[in-house]
Amino acid sequence: MSPHRLRVDREKSKVKDEDVIKTVEEVFDSFTNYHIYRLKNTMKAFRELRGTISAGKEARVYWAKGWKGEDVAVKIFLTSSAEFRKSIKNYISGDPRFPSLPSKFRELVYLWARKEYSNLSEMAKAGVSVPQPIAVSGNVLVMRFLGEGGLRAPLLVEAARELEAEDLERMLEMLIKDVESMVCRARLVHGDLSEYNVMIWEGRPWIIDVAQAVSLEHPKSRELLERDVSNVFSFFSHWLDVSEREESLRRSLEGCLESR
Ligand SMILES: Nc1ncnc2c1ncn2[C@@H]1O[C@H](COP(=O)(O)OP(=O)(O)OP(=O)(O)O)[C@@H](O)[C@H]1O
Ligand SMILES: [Mg+2]
């Protein structure tokens, strides 16, 4: 499948590179610029920022080049949003992996970035298809880029209309296996799983945006898992008959939750 078309002008890429770096320096404070510098020059996690992939309320994602010429994704969490502060706290307190909450908001965002890094590592180890994390420093996370040449892969919500029923069946099966591995092996619940946080690349779904994922011990884990499963099946139910598979996944997840 062709990557989602984004306005990346290769002809003018040199000019664009400078623009990106300038914008990054203007948008982010000196702390963030320090972490970008550290990841580039000390940790060698990437060589050069190339283009903006996404500019959301809580984070920005950039396309960058690694030292071997490979594409990488750089996710920068914003340290200036009051709403973000509230949502971060809800997903951290109660998770035994993070027993104490830092009082400074900046430190909380750093913890959030490290949480996404460790969730990605734990999920990848459990066999879930997530972008491999590369490095984290402060509020900046570097991971594998899904897509090529600066064109990101399509989200499930964008790709679904171009997929045949047969492909959708396969995508759903793979996603079900990933949710099972995430819960039963990594012992984590995504917490914001939907067609907007799954990318389609190399013929399979990849789960992204895992900063809020909580461990099964978190008081809200069941409620979040319930919502994740409902989101996935209600999306696929536009094209497929999913009721049996939904029931079977719920039964198997129940088994894993009980064997805690
Ligand atoms: N590893 C990656 N490779 C390519 N593109 C990515 C990658 N990770 C994220 N993206 C792109 O960046 C977008 C935002 O990433 P993500 O979902 O992780 O952040 P977010 O917290 O949802 O940000 P927002 O505040 O925009 O909701 C994704 O929808 C996707 O288009
Ligand atoms: Mg997202």
Side-chain angles (χ1 to χ4, degrees), residues 2-238:
S2 67
H4 188 60
R5 287 265 135 211
L6 291 175
R7 276 178 289 125
V8 175
D9 191 340
R10 283 156 207 255
E11 293 289 297
K12 292 182 191 152
S13 69
K14 191 149 190 307
V15 179
K16 289 244 163 190
D17 292 351
E18 284 161 10
D19 282 354
V20 171
I21 291 153
K22 201 162 144 258
T23 318
V24 165
E25 281 171 358
E26 278 166 9
V27 166
F28 295 110
D29 58 17
S30 57
F31 293 100
T32 304
N33 283 312
Y34 162 75
H35 290 293
I36 294 171
Y37 177 89
R38 182 163 178 256
L39 281 160
K40 266 175 69 166
N41 299 309
T42 312
M43 299 167 81
K44 304 276 183 211
F46 69 94
R47 185 164 52 92
E48 183 178 48
L49 285 174
R50 283 289 178 89
T52 309
I53 297 293
S54 154
K57 286 192 298 288
E58 298 175 353
R60 297 195 172 187
V61 177
Y62 295 88
W63 164 49
K65 277 284 171 192
W67 289 87
K68 292 182 186 140
E70 74 283 16
D71 287 336
V72 296
V74 179
K75 183 169 179 178
I76 305 181
F77 293 92
L78 305 180
T79 50
S80 55
S81 145
E83 235 173 85
F84 191 21
R85 184 190 306 241
K86 233 169 62 198
S87 79
I88 289 186
K89 283 194 172 166
N90 283 338
Y91 287 94
I92 294 184
S93 49
D95 192 323
R97 296 176 300 164
F98 306 97
S100 64
L101 282 182
S103 55
K104 282 198 192 125
F105 181 54
R106 166 172 300 283
E107 296 293 331
L108 202 58
V109 178
Y110 290 1
L111 181 64
W112 192 244
R114 285 203 302 280
K115 184 163 175 261
E116 176 142 33
Y117 182 92
S118 76
N119 285 339
L120 286 171
S121 312
E122 288 169 42
M123 289 176 190
K125 223 165 46 194
V128 182
S129 287
V130 290
Q132 187 67 41
I134 296 169
V136 64
S137 178
N139 53 326
V140 186
L141 165 71
V142 184
M143 63 187 142
R144 183 189 162 187
F145 185 82
L146 300 174
E148 62 188 358
L151 304 178
R152 67 163 172 86
L155 299 172
L156 174 59
V157 67
E158 297 160 341
R161 53 181 169 259
E162 288 168 34
L163 294 175
E164 308 279 336
E166 195 175 295
D167 296 324
L168 284 163
E169 292 272 0
R170 280 193 312 113
M171 295 299 161
L172 176 59
E173 288 302 330
M174 290 188 271
L175 210 45
I176 288 174
K177 285 215 177 85
D178 273 354
V179 171
E180 264 173 343
S181 307
M182 192 184 289
V183 175
C184 305
R185 299 173 70 180
R187 321 283 303 163
L188 292 170
V189 172
H190 186 287
D192 192 20
L193 191 60
S194 77
E195 59 276 23
Y196 296 94
N197 279 332
V198 173
M199 299 183 91
I200 304 296
W201 185 241
E202 293 173 340
R204 63 157 306 126
W206 296 79
I207 295 175
I208 61 161
D209 203 1
V210 304
Q212 71 292 319
V214 295
S215 89
L216 296 188
E217 281 79 35
H218 189 281
K220 292 240 167 71
S221 64
R222 267 174 186 263
E223 191 185 309
L224 294 169
L225 181 58
E226 176 63 33
R227 194 178 64 185
D228 283 356
V229 171
S230 301
N231 285 348
V232 168
F233 287 103
S234 86
F235 181 69
F236 281 93
S237 71
H238 291 121

